Amino acid sequence: MARSTDPTPEVPARRPRRAPSADERRRDAERSRQALLDAALDEFSAKGFDGARVQDIAARAGVNKQLIAYYFGGKENLYQEIQRHWPEAEAERADPALPLDETAARYLTAALADPRPARLVIWRGLTGGGTESDYIDDATVIDTDLANLRRAKERGQIAPELDPAFVRMAVMSMVLAPLMLPEAALRATGKTPGSPEFEEYYRTQLRALIRRLGTAESPEGA
């Protein structure tokens, strides 16, 4: 049998790997940084500040744990960074011009849409974990809320015998209840917390109850 005279196919020469451009490096850094922020919010909300480990945050983000120190300077700064934009959302929800029931409804919608920030608050209350600046920020938020509630009381949205400080705690408890006691909420209402049906039901009931706290008449259908 005659041997094949076909020439041996040539192997294409490998091109040298192109170094990433400055824009590509920046985008990669932004993706890694955002992945760490998302992973940190998941871990902190699931385990609290003290229980969350940097190794687990990095593993969830799919990056080296050294990047936490590189981008944020450590666990505490990362914890602070995930809360950096919350005051903007807080200011929008706590608009003093809004009726009290509308403010509570906005807090409820935000908590059900993304329970993780609320769970951080719950963890801190249960364990006392967190950082010193957390408590400074909390004091500022509380003072602002109480000032808004006093104005609501002046408008007749809170009855004279009710203390704004108590009203704040009561409304906060009602907003957080489905997150703290989801099984009890399901058994009591027959609706799954987090579902559109539960949110519509609970928001309607919450607003109706809060309107009962006041002395002023509410707009029809509010």
Side-chain angles (χ1 to χ4, degrees), residues 32-46 52-53 56-63 68 78 82 116:
S32 296
R33 194 174 185 278
Q34 188 58 52
L36 282 170
L37 288 171
D38 292 339
L41 185 52
D42 287 338
E43 288 291 316
F44 285 132
S45 65
R53 303 194 311 161
D56 295 336
I57 294 171
R60 185 185 286 268
V63 301
I68 293 177
L78 175 58
I82 64 175
R116 295 174 299 173

Side-chain angles (χ1 to χ4, degrees), residues 192 194-201:
T192 303
S195 68
E197 295 79 14
F198 179 87
E199 181 177 348
E200 175 63 24
Y201 162 83

Side-chain angles (χ1 to χ4, degrees), residues 147-168:
N148 291 341
L149 287 168
R150 292 187 191 103
R151 284 192 284 269
K153 185 171 183 176
E154 292 171 359
R155 296 195 298 266
Q157 294 176 7
I158 299 175
E161 67 272 20
L162 294 176
D163 180 13
F166 173 79
V167 171
R168 183 183 188 273

